[in-house]
Amino acid sequence: MATTTKPRTSNGTRNGTTSKMAKPNGTASATKAKAPTVDGPPETNASALLKELRNLVFKEYGVKLQLRDARVSTKIGHATREKLGLDIAAQVKKKGGNKKFDWQRWNTKVFPRLFGQPDALKYPPEVVAILMSLLYDTIRTDPEQAVADLVEFNRASLERRNSFQAEQEDDLDDLEDELDDDLEDDLSDDLDDETSDELDDDLDDELDEDLDEEEDE
């Protein structure tokens, strides 16, 4: 019985069949990197990760990272202490008399007596913020807005202090440069004086030698 051979196509395969292309040696099929997946809502996983982070930092460095609420409360404490202090100091100065406002006493004795330390307030930050809104029209009466106003006051105050400190450091650097220049000038003047004295001595010696020679003649 005669056999028939199927004609080859241009790609080297027999008609009616599909050849499998060999992959180059040492290569693997590309796979897309998948993002890690976790079970549960993001908030739950973030809280668990936060706990691990704080434990790790405390173990490695011996410090505890403050949580968001604690940071806000600290800013409220600092803003309240400063704003009240500025107000009281201005009124005491305006009134005159023997009483003077002492910032050291206000910060360490008077303010903590009622409010506690800025980073450990005796009252929730919302309560302190509402109190400040009852005193100052620049603090809004809504609790959340009052907190935001005091946080902004603290930010602006910190920015002013940092700017003032930077200016002082620049002034100190300029003063040191001036002192260095003055010292160099003084040293240069001293060297010039020494050189001048040596030159005068040399001239005096030469003059004495000339006089001695004239006397010998």
Side-chain angles (χ1 to χ4, degrees):
M1 181 177 180
T3 59
T4 59
T5 303
K6 294 181 179 180
R8 293 180 178 272
T9 60
S10 60
N11 61 1
T13 61
R14 294 184 182 275
N15 190 21
T17 63
T18 303
S19 66
K20 295 181 179 179
M21 299 296 293
K23 296 179 181 178
N25 293 334
T27 62
S29 59
T31 58
K32 292 183 178 180
K34 294 183 178 180
T37 58
V38 291
D39 296 330
E43 294 81 4
T44 302
N45 288 284
S47 297
L49 181 58
L50 172 62
K51 183 178 180 180
E52 292 184 16
L53 171 64
R54 297 184 76 203
N55 289 339
L56 175 62
V57 171
F58 182 76
K59 181 179 179 180
E60 291 292 331
Y61 304 104
V63 295
K64 288 185 177 181
L65 293 177
Q66 274 192 327
L67 297 177
R68 177 189 179 92
D69 290 345
R71 294 178 188 273
V72 171
S73 180
T74 298
K75 292 177 181 179
I76 296 300
H78 282 290
T80 300
R81 186 177 69 177
E82 181 177 358
K83 192 169 183 63
L84 283 173
L86 290 170
D87 185 12
I88 298 170
Q91 294 193 46
V92 170
K93 182 178 180 180
K94 182 178 180 180
K95 181 180 179 181
N98 296 328
K99 285 189 175 294
K100 303 294 182 182
F101 183 81
D102 184 353
W103 274 103
Q104 181 71 16
R105 176 173 172 76
W106 165 253
N107 288 339
T108 60
K109 301 293 184 182
V110 181
F111 181 85
R113 189 184 306 165
L114 179 60
F115 292 95
Q117 296 296 336
D119 58 351
L121 292 174
K122 296 180 180 180
Y123 305 94
E126 294 83 3
V127 173
V128 178
I130 294 174
L131 163 69
M132 295 296 286
S133 73
L134 298 176
L135 290 171
Y136 304 104
D137 58 356
T138 55
I139 308 298
R140 290 170 288 184
T141 55
D142 178 79
E144 291 185 1
Q145 293 177 340
V147 168
D149 290 338
L150 287 173
V151 169
E152 172 59 22
F153 178 87
N154 177 258
R155 184 204 63 78
S157 176
L158 182 61
E159 183 177 338
R160 287 194 301 271
R161 286 196 297 271
N162 289 339
S163 177
F164 178 73
Q165 183 177 358
E167 290 178 0
Q168 283 189 320
E169 291 176 353
D170 291 340
D171 292 341
L172 182 59
D173 291 339
D174 293 340
L175 179 59
E176 290 177 350
D177 291 339
E178 291 178 2
L179 291 175
D180 290 340
D181 292 339
D182 291 341
L183 180 59
E184 291 178 358
D185 292 340
D186 292 340
L187 290 174
S188 178
D189 292 341
D190 291 341
L191 291 175
D192 291 340
D193 291 340
E194 291 178 1
T195 303
S196 178
D197 292 340
E198 291 176 356
L199 181 60
D200 291 341
D201 292 339
D202 292 340
L203 291 175
D204 290 340
D205 292 340
E206 291 179 1
L207 181 60
D208 291 339
E209 291 176 358
D210 292 340
L211 290 175
D212 291 339
E213 291 176 356
E214 291 179 359
E215 290 178 356
D216 292 339
E217 292 177 356

